[in-house]
Amino acid sequence: MGNGYLAAYNTILCLAWGCVLYLTVYFSFVHNETTFKVYRAVELPLMVAQTAAIMEVIHSLLGMVRSPAAITAMQVASRLWILWGIVVPLQEQTLGGAIKLVKVGPRTLQLDFISLMVAWCLSEIIRYSFFALKEFGVVPYFLLWLRYSAFIILYPLGVASELTMVYLAMPTIRSSHMWSLAMPNKLNISFDYHQLCVIICIIYVPGLPRLYGYMMKQRIKMLSPTKAAAGKTKKE
């Protein structure tokens, strides 16, 4: 038996993301509700689950897990920014738009809030269930394989969906001067949130291959024939 706290933390977050996925599928794909209604349904569990990820940075800094603190902080910060800095304050823009890709039968495949939820939920359910079971010492191989393989599709989908949210929000951020501070003012400083968003998006460019490359190295390491034969797993 591993760390009881980590087992509980990962189990709770797995269930929380499972709730978000269920609500997303139920309202979007089963009942074909609008994206606005889907958001209303997932809003609370999404906010709780995503914000709770801050603890992962603390876990890494305290040495409770072997994940690199810098990479963990980068992943968590980007998710929090998309949620609290883009989607929540600009719901009309981010929930009402999409980048259409291709039409498949009656449905159109597109990058939007729904694709963001699918990518985030699936990746987090796999990840948290993996780490939860790891604390109990019972990780089935199919879950190990998913942990180090699903990201190949889910990570690019997630990043593309995140940048879509930013793309949909940017015109309003710029025109409304949202969260910006112009001169002159008592503090004698200026701040442009639109410029900050541009800088963050630029950082995404080198950040994507770095994170992707890190996971590919982990995949080779964890799914190597000798590793699979031994039936062992190590914390990333």
Side-chain angles (χ1 to χ4, degrees):
M1 177 69 178
N3 186 305
Y5 162 74
L6 288 178
Y9 171 82
N10 287 298
T11 299
I12 292 172
L13 267 294
C14 178
L15 293 175
W17 281 107
C19 177
V20 176
L21 179 61
Y22 169 78
L23 293 172
T24 299
V25 171
Y26 181 78
F27 285 100
S28 179
F29 297 100
V30 177
H31 289 279
N32 292 313
E33 295 285 4
T34 65
T35 305
F36 291 94
K37 289 187 178 181
V38 174
Y39 175 77
R40 292 290 173 265
V42 306
E43 185 175 18
L44 180 57
L46 171 62
M47 289 178 173
V48 172
Q50 190 57 73
T51 305
I54 293 175
M55 294 303 301
E56 294 180 35
V57 180
I58 297 176
H59 297 163
S60 182
L61 290 173
L62 294 178
M64 298 174 66
V65 296
R66 297 181 184 178
S67 302
I71 291 180
T72 301
M74 186 185 304
Q75 291 175 315
V76 173
S78 65
R79 293 280 194 88
L80 291 175
W81 171 59
I82 291 296
L83 178 61
W84 292 106
I86 299 295
V87 175
V88 173
L90 295 162
Q91 296 174 28
E92 183 177 350
Q93 292 75 21
T94 56
L95 303 179
I99 294 180
K100 300 183 185 300
L101 300 178
V102 62
K103 190 172 182 61
V104 179
R107 300 190 71 94
T108 299
L109 296 182
Q110 57 189 26
L111 296 173
D112 57 7
F113 179 76
I114 302 303
S115 67
L116 179 68
M117 288 299 95
V118 171
W120 279 9
C121 289
L122 290 178
S123 61
E124 297 297 56
I125 290 171
I126 292 171
R127 190 167 67 89
Y128 284 120
S129 62
F130 172 81
F131 286 124
L133 290 177
K134 194 173 186 181
E135 293 300 329
F136 291 104
V138 288
V139 179
Y141 181 76
F142 81 88
L143 185 56
L144 173 68
W145 185 88
L146 281 176
R147 170 70 181 103
Y148 294 101
S149 300
F151 78 91
I152 295 174
I153 295 175
L154 295 178
Y155 187 59
L157 175 61
V159 171
S161 298
E162 289 170 12
L163 292 178
T164 295
M165 296 295 98
V166 181
Y167 170 77
L168 295 171
M170 286 294 263
T172 300
I173 293 176
R174 184 173 185 176
S175 63
S176 67
H177 303 289
M178 172 181 151
W179 296 349
S180 298
L181 184 63
M183 294 280 284
N185 57 70
K186 293 182 179 180
L187 297 177
N188 200 34
I189 60 174
S190 63
F191 173 74
D192 192 320
Y193 185 59
H194 178 268
Q195 291 183 1
L196 176 62
C197 291
V198 172
I199 293 173
I200 294 176
C201 288
I202 293 175
I203 295 176
Y204 260 74
V205 177
L208 172 60
R210 181 184 178 187
L211 291 173
Y212 203 79
Y214 169 74
M215 286 304 298
M216 286 301 294
K217 289 180 181 178
Q218 287 295 100
R219 184 176 193 274
I220 294 173
K221 174 184 176 182
M222 301 303 292
L223 299 183
S224 64
T226 53
K227 195 79 175 179
K232 297 178 181 178
T233 59
K234 295 179 181 180
K235 291 184 178 179
E236 59 177 328

